[in-house]
Amino acid sequence: MLEAGKTKFHIDLRRYLREEGEEEALIHLICEIAEASKYIINSIRTGDLGVAGTSNLYGEQQLTLDVLSDRIMRKRLAQSGVVTNVASEEGREIVAVAPHRSGNYSVAYDPLDGSSLVDVNLAVGTIASIYLGADVLQPGIRQAAALYILYGPRTTLVYTTGKGVHEFGMNQLMEYTLLRRNVRMAPKATIYAPGGLRSRYTAGTTRLVNELEANGVKLRYSGGLVPDINQLLMKGSGIFFYPHLQGAAQGKLRLLFELNPMALLVEQAGGAASTGRGRVLEVVPEKLDEVRPFFCGCREDVTLAETFIAQEGRGEL
Ligand code: AHG
Ligand code: MN
Ligand code: MN
């Protein structure tokens, strides 16, 4: 176990997980997802940017890259030997990839979040939510691990197993080596990332934006969930929201594939993650394609969002 505060830079992901005392099957699984990211990087950098001619669980048009990234991830998970079921944002149902045996995991993943940003050369990412056992329809608080890979100017991997948040960077040998250990967030935001159409915000969210602006909090929004969340985590300060909207009471972002993994990571860094009315990690999912409003980041700002929403009501949604 690495002594607190001390980090041995250049320690690679597998060794770090071992030294953190993680269970072997989980180490193998996280490293397999890290391996899959190398093939996804290749498809992003060189793949066809067109449409796949199919649609996903949400009825959204899929890009070739979505389908290709999904195939890469699913194959890697199916062959890992430690995964029972997988659910993909790009799939339509839970897929049994191996008969369940004790010690196996199940994974809900978004193989390529922000895929529509690739053709304008903005940063995108892969998100994974890991549960012990065969069931992915569990509240996010039951996740065994959550991680994302961010394909930006540098490729980084950020994970938590419930023992803090740790960041790794891909080196010239395509190995992930430790960059930051125990990422922590300040209580108050210095940047904010407001998703969704402002004209469809309800009064509580509009009041939050006005309060943030009045306090000199700067707007930083790329339209990609992974870089937008990564920015507030690595700066240690910020709030991201994709709120409930007039005409979309549950917002847009997906509970299993986006909210739960990001909520666990931000909470583990000392932040908070709310649907605007309650803790994301306590929502009990009934089906794969659930979406919820999302307010995530510095604890004081997320609390302020909940207060304004409670005071202003949610309008006629
Ligand atoms: P995905 O590409 O997996 O469908 O997710 C895109 C998400 C997320 O990355 C981002 O926060 C949000 O869509 C932006 O939505 P708008 O384009 O509606 O702003
Ligand atoms: Mn997504
Ligand atoms: Mn996606």
Side-chain angles (χ1 to χ4, degrees), residues 56 60 66 89-90 110 112-116 195-196 221 223-226 228 240 242 252-254 258:
N56 65 13
E60 295 160 341
D66 286 320
E89 185 190 275
E90 301 305 333
D110 180 352
L112 194 58
D113 179 87
S115 52
S116 59
Y221 185 73
L225 178 67
V226 178
D228 286 341
F240 172 95
Y242 201 107
K252 167 188 181 181
L253 296 183
R254 294 80 175 194
E258 295 165 336

Side-chain angles (χ1 to χ4, degrees), residues 185-195 205 208-209 212 217-221 228-229 231-233 236-242 266 272-274 294-306 309:
M185 296 195 74
K188 269 191 86 53
T190 52
I191 59 171
Y192 76 104
T205 315
L208 174 69
V209 171
L212 292 167
V217 179
K218 284 189 273 185
L219 191 158
R220 290 284 183 279
Y221 185 73
D228 286 341
I229 296 287
Q231 178 173 206
L232 57 87
L233 268 176
S237 169
I239 180 169
F240 172 95
F241 42 97
Y242 201 107
V266 169
S274 170
F294 193 40
F295 298 79
C296 176
C298 292
R299 198 163 279 289
E300 287 183 24
D301 302 277
V302 173
T303 303
L304 193 64
E306 291 178 331
I309 290 164

Side-chain angles (χ1 to χ4, degrees), residues 287-317:
K287 48 194 182 57
L288 281 183
D289 62 351
E290 305 219 9
V291 295
R292 286 291 189 286
F294 193 40
F295 298 79
C296 176
C298 292
R299 198 163 279 289
E300 287 183 24
D301 302 277
V302 173
T303 303
L304 193 64
E306 291 178 331
T307 305
F308 287 165
I309 290 164
Q311 287 171 352
E312 301 291 341
R314 284 161 41 99
E316 59 308 323
L317 285 172

